[in-house]
Amino acid sequence: MSETTTETTDEAGGTEPHARLSTAPVESTAVPGSFGGRRAPGPWGWITWTGREVLGWVRWFWRQLTSMRTALLLLLLLSLAAVPGSLIPQNGVDPMKVEDFREANPKLTPVYDALGMFDVYSSVWFSAIYILLFVSLIGCIVPRTWQFVGQLRGRPPGAPRRLDRMPAYTTWRTTAAPEEVREAALGVLRKRRFRSHAVDDAVAAEKGYLRELGNLAFHLALIVMLIAFGWGELYKSEGNKLIVEGDGFANTPVQYDDFRSGSLFSYDDLEPFSFDLDDFRATYAESGPNRGTPRTYEAALTYREGVDGAERKKVVEVNEPLEIGGSKVYLTSHGYAPVVTVRDGKGEIVYSQPVPMLPIDQNITSQGAVKVLDGYRDPEGEEEQLAFSAVFVPTFAGKGSGTMFSQFPALEFPVLAVAGYHGSVGVDSGIPQNVYQLDDRKMKQFKDENGDTLRKMLLPGETMELPDGAGSITFEKEIKEWANFQVVQQPAGGWALGGSVVAIAGLSGSLFIQRRRVWVRARSGDDGVTVVEMAGLGRSESARLPQELGELVGLVHDRAPTAPAADPEDSPVPSPEGADK
Amino acid sequence: MTTLAATTNESLAQISNVLIYSAMAVYTLAFFAYITEWIFGSRSKVARTAAALTAGTDAAKPAASAPAVTVRKAGGTTVLERPEVVVRSSGTSRADVPDGPGAHGGDEQGDLYGRIAVSLTVLGFLLSFGGVLTRALSVQRAPWGNMYEFNITFTTVAVGVYLALLAFRRNVRWMGLPLITAVLLDLGLAVTVLYTESDQLVPALHSYWLYIHVSTAILCGAVFYVAAVSTILYLFRDSYENKLAGGGTPGRFATSVLERLPAASSLDKFAYRVNAAVFPLWTFTIIAGAIWAGDAWGRYWGWDPKETWSFITWIAYACYLHARATAGWKGRKAAYLALIAFGCWLFNYYGVNIFVSGSKHSYAGVE
Ligand code: HEM
C-alpha cells in the first residue's frame, strides 16, 4: 500500500491542503538557531543582528510553548505535580496533620519546607506549571479562533482533483445532465444542513462546525474556571466558631475561634450579620448493626442580616448551609457542653457555665477543661486559680464495667469525670493555650486522704468536694449541646460554575460532533453520459461517515438514478449503450 | 422505626446477599464457559492477519460497513442498486488488517460455549442487579453508601455496559473473559474485605448531588474499565502485528489467542471512542462532586486526596485525548497514556480509600 500510506497520515490533514478539517495546529519541525541574515560590520550591524536574533528566539520559544506537544507535556507535568499534595499532609487541608508530620519526621521536614511540599497547590513550581499551561493555552486559542472565524466567513473548499482517494467514495453513471445532478446534490446537502456551494464541476459541502466551536469554548471555559478559582482563593475568607445552645455570634473577625483569608481579602469585605443557636438536635440509629451512627444533625438558628436586620429562622443541616449574601454558614461538628458550677470554700459561686467538650470518638466520648481564672481564693484567702480536667460520656456503660468510654452518642446515661488542680493555669504566660486542654506544669493536683489523685465520676446533680475546704465542683443537671459553624465567603463561585457548564457543553460538542466534508462531482464522460462522483472526508475515521455518505448517495441517486445497464455485470459503471435517454 | 420495618429490611438485606452470591456463582460458570470458548476456538487455524500484512496490497476494499442497499424508486417497480460506498482507511496498511473472528475462532462448539457464556452473563447480571436493588430497598436509599455497595453496583454496571454494547451489535464479545474475570475479583473483594452491614447514610451523605455524583462516577469507571481492557489487548495485538509485519513468527499461544481478537486498529479505535465518549461525563462527575462539596464542606474545591486524584485522572485522560490529536503520539504512546489514566482512576477508587488517610471521603467503611 505504499502508494496510499504516504498520504493522509494525519487525521487533521490530507495531501491536499484544503483537506484540513481542524484549526488544530499542525506540528511542524521548528528550525531552531539561525534566523537568517548576516551580521553587518559596525555597531548598527550588531544591533540589528542581535535584534533579529532575539526576536527570532522569542518567536521560536513562543511557537514551542504553544505547540500541542508542549501542551501535552505540561498537562503530564501538571498531573504529576498534583500527586505529592495528595500523599503529604497539606496546610490548606489539615494543618494539624502537618504538625504531626513535622514532629514525626524532623529530618524530612526542612527539605519538604524548602520544596513547599506542605503547600503544594500554592507552591512556586506548581503555579509555574499551570501558568505556563494557561499561557500556552491562550497562545493556542487565539490563532485558532481567528482561523475558525476565517473558515466561517469563507466557503467550504472545492473538490480535490481525485475524489476516489477520499476515505469514503462512490461513483455511478446517470442519464441526468451534470447541472441537474449538481442542482439536486445542492438541494439534498442544504436540506441536511451542510454549508454547501457549487464550485466548477462539483458541489462542495461541509458540516459540523460546532465541533471546532465546542473545542474553543471548552478551552476558553478552562481559562474562565481558572481565573474564577484563583479569584475566589485570593478574596476568600473562612472561619470557625463554636457556639453553645443559647449563645450567638456576630460576623466580625474577633469573634472567630480561628480565621483564615486569602491574600487580597480585607476585613471590610466581611458581610455583616449575626445569628444565635437556639437549639441543636442530633438523632442516631437506635438499633441494628450500626447503632450509634448519626442520622440527622439539625441546628435551629435565628439570624439577622446586616447590623440590625429583622430576625429570621433557619434550620441548618450538614448539606444545607445558611446563605446570607455571599457568605455561607455551614454546620461542621457538634458535641456536648455540660454545665459546671465551681464554688469556693465559703460556698460562693466562682464559676458557672456550660463547658464545651471535644469529642474524641464516634460515640462522643469527650474531653475538656474547666478553668477558673479569677475570683477564687483558697482557704487561706490567697488568690489562686483552679482547673479541672474533665472527661464526659453521654452514655456510660454502667457501674462496674465502667471505663470512661461512651457507648452511644445520645444522652442516655451521662457521666462527667473530673480531676482538680490548683495553682497557675498559665494563661498569661504568652504561650497560646488550647481551651480544651490543661497545661498542668504550674499546677498541683488535689489529693484525697490516701494521697492519691483526687478524681471522681459525677452523675448529673452530683458534686465533688475538694479537700481541706477548698471548694467544690458540681455537674449540673442541665447539659447543653454545642455546634461548630464554619463561615465561608468565596466570591466568583458563579463564574466557576458557569465556566464548568460551558466546558462540559463545549467538550461534548468537540468530542461527539464530527466535522466532515462531502463533494459531489458531476461531469460528462467521454461518451456523453454523466459521471457522478461522491466522496466524504471526516476529521477522524468513523463508521458514521460512510454511512452518512451512503444516505446522501441514496438521496442524490433517487434524483439522478443509474443509467440502465446493458450488461449487469458492469454495474455500477454501466456500459455507454444503456446511457441513452 | 418499628421492629417490623427493621426485620423486613434485614430480610431484604439477607436476600440481597443471597442474590450477590448467586450472581458470583453464575459468573463463575460464565467464566468457565468463556474459557471453554477460547479453548475450542484454538482448534481453528486462522491466520488472516499474516496474510493481510504480507500479501494484501490492493488499495481499497469495499467495507463491510457499507452494505449495498437496494432502493425502490418511489412509485416505480424497478429496483435499483444504490451505488456502493467504497471505504478506504486513511492510515497505514495496518488499518486493512481484518478483525479476528472472536474467541470461538469460527469453531462451532466454541461459538456454542460463547453463547452459553453470554447467556450466563445475562443471568448473572440480572441476579446482581436484583442484589443491588434489594440492598437499596433494604436501606431505602441509593446503594452506594460504602465501598461494599459501591463495588457491587460497579460490577453490575460494568457488566451492563458490556451487555448493552453487545445488544447494540458492537463487536465486543471477545471482551467477555477479561471482563468477567475482573468482575469476579471485584465481587470477591466486596464480599470478603469490604463487606458492610446494610445501613443508612450519615448526614454528610444526604444530598441529591451525591446521588448524581456517585452514580455517574460508577458509570464512568465501568466504561473506563472496558476501554482499558481494549487498550491492553491493543498493545498485545499491535506487537503481534508488528512482529508479523517484520517477518517474525510469534509463538503458538500468542498466535492462537491474538489471531482471534479484532485487529489492532479496531481495538485502538474502540478504546478511543469509549474513552472519548465518557470523558465529558467524567468531567461532569467531578463538577457534580465539587457542587456537593460546596454544600457539605463549605468549599467546592479543597485538594482533598480524593478530589486531587479525580483531578489527576481527568488531566491524564485529557493528555490521552490530546495525544490522539497530535501526530507522533498516536498508537502505542497514546495507549500507554490511556493505561496510566486508568491506573489513576483505579488508585482513586481503591488506593485513596485504603492507603491515604484523612480524606474527607471517609465513608468508605474500610478504615
Ligand atoms: C489546560 C489544560 C488543557 C486541557 C485540560 C485540555 C483538554 C482538552 C481536551 C479534553 C481535548 C479533547 C477534545 C477534543 O478532542 O476535541 C482537547 C483538545 C484540544 N486541545 Fe486541549 N486542553 C488543554 C490545553 C491545551 C493547550 C495548551 C493547547 C494548545 C497548545 C490545546 C489544544 C488543543 C487542541 C488543538 C485540541 C483539539 C484537537 C482536535 O481537534 O482533536 N489544549 N483539549
Side-chain angles (χ1 to χ4, degrees), chain B residues 234-321:
Chain B
Y234 156 75
L235 287 173
F236 282 118
R237 172 85 191 198
D238 186 55
S239 342
Y240 172 70
E241 288 178 12
N242 278 339
K243 200 158 185 183
L244 280 179
T249 20
R252 269 188 45 220
F253 179 72
T255 311
S256 171
V257 170
L258 296 174
E259 191 59 48
R260 285 179 268 160
L261 289 178
S265 67
S266 303
L267 287 169
D268 187 36
K269 240 184 280 174
F270 176 75
Y272 169 70
R273 287 212 191 113
V274 169
N275 275 331
V278 287
F279 187 75
L281 191 67
W282 178 241
T283 313
F284 171 77
T285 301
I286 295 176
I287 289 164
I291 294 173
W292 171 43
D295 281 350
W297 302 325
R299 82 289 183 293
Y300 54 86
W301 196 264
W303 298 107
D304 175 86
K306 201 92 176 180
E307 291 167 359
T308 306
W309 277 94
S310 301
F311 173 77
I312 294 171
T313 308
W314 187 77
I315 292 281
Y317 275 107
C319 275
Y320 167 68
L321 293 178

Side-chain angles (χ1 to χ4, degrees), chain A residues 1 4-5 7-11 27 68-69 71-72 75-76 78-79 82-83 86-87 93 97 121 126 164-172 218-219 222 228-229 236 289-290 293-297 318-319 321 330 486 488 490 493 496-497 500 504 507-508 511-512 541-543 546 549-551 553-554 557 561-562, chain B residues 57-59 71 73 80-93 96 197-207 269 272-273 276-277 279-280 283-284 287 291-292 294-303 305 308-309 311-312 314-315 318-319 321-327 329-330 337 356-358:
Chain A
M1 290 207 41
T4 42
T5 45
E7 301 184 9
T8 53
T9 42
D10 187 343
E11 274 186 355
E27 294 291 312
M68 276 290 266
R69 194 160 294 137
L72 190 56
L75 272 172
L76 270 175
L78 185 66
S79 61
V83 173
S86 75
L87 305 175
V93 179
K97 269 238 170 69
Y121 305 108
F126 190 79
D164 59 344
R165 288 192 175 175
M166 289 294 124
Y169 171 78
T170 194
T171 177
W172 73 93
F218 166 72
H219 285 89
L222 288 182
F229 184 69
K236 178 178 180 160
N290 289 69
T293 34
R295 289 278 171 263
T296 54
Y297 295 139
V318 173
N319 277 310
Y330 296 88
Q486 186 183 22
V488 180
Q490 185 171 20
L497 186 64
S500 50
I504 293 178
L507 189 60
S508 307
L511 287 168
F512 297 142
E541 253 178 67
S542 152
L549 188 72
E551 285 162 18
V553 166
H557 187 255
T562 309
Chain B
T57 45
D58 42 325
V71 267
K73 249 183 97 180
L80 286 177
E81 281 288 306
R82 183 208 273 185
E84 213 170 307
V85 173
V86 176
V87 180
R88 77 157 67 227
S89 37
S90 54
T92 57
S93 58
D96 292 328
E197 296 284 349
S198 79
D199 188 35
Q200 289 168 351
L201 292 175
V202 295
L205 300 183
H206 293 303
S207 164
K269 240 184 280 174
Y272 169 70
R273 287 212 191 113
F279 187 75
T283 313
F284 171 77
I287 289 164
I291 294 173
W292 171 43
D295 281 350
W297 302 325
R299 82 289 183 293
Y300 54 86
W301 196 264
W303 298 107
T308 306
W309 277 94
F311 173 77
I312 294 171
W314 187 77
I315 292 281
C319 275
L321 293 178
H322 269 206
R324 294 282 311 206
T326 310
W329 270 82
K330 280 195 192 125
L337 281 180
V356 183
S357 63

Side-chain angles (χ1 to χ4, degrees), chain A residues 66 68 136-137 140 144 215 218-219 222 510 539, chain B residues 279 322 325:
Chain A
T66 57
M68 276 290 266
S136 163
L137 185 52
C140 179
R144 284 178 61 209
N215 190 279
F218 166 72
H219 285 89
L222 288 182
S510 167
R539 209 182 102 44
Chain B
F279 187 75
H322 269 206

Side-chain angles (χ1 to χ4, degrees), chain A residues 319-387:
Chain A
N319 277 310
E320 257 180 58
L322 163 67
E323 292 186 38
I324 305 177
S327 300
K328 291 189 182 181
V329 179
Y330 296 88
L331 172 63
T332 54
S333 57
H334 78 109
Y336 293 101
V339 177
V340 168
T341 303
V342 178
R343 292 185 172 81
D344 64 13
K346 287 181 243 152
E348 302 270 340
I349 295 180
V350 291
Y351 180 97
S352 183
Q353 64 186 68
V355 183
M357 306 276 246
L358 279 194
I360 55 173
D361 68 15
Q362 298 290 325
N363 285 325
I364 324 197
T365 305
S366 319
Q367 278 179 342
V370 180
K371 297 179 188 176
V372 183
L373 301 182
D374 39 40
Y376 174 78
R377 285 175 192 277
D378 69 7
E380 279 88 58
E382 296 287 317
E383 248 187 67
E384 206 181 19
Q385 290 181 327
L386 280 188

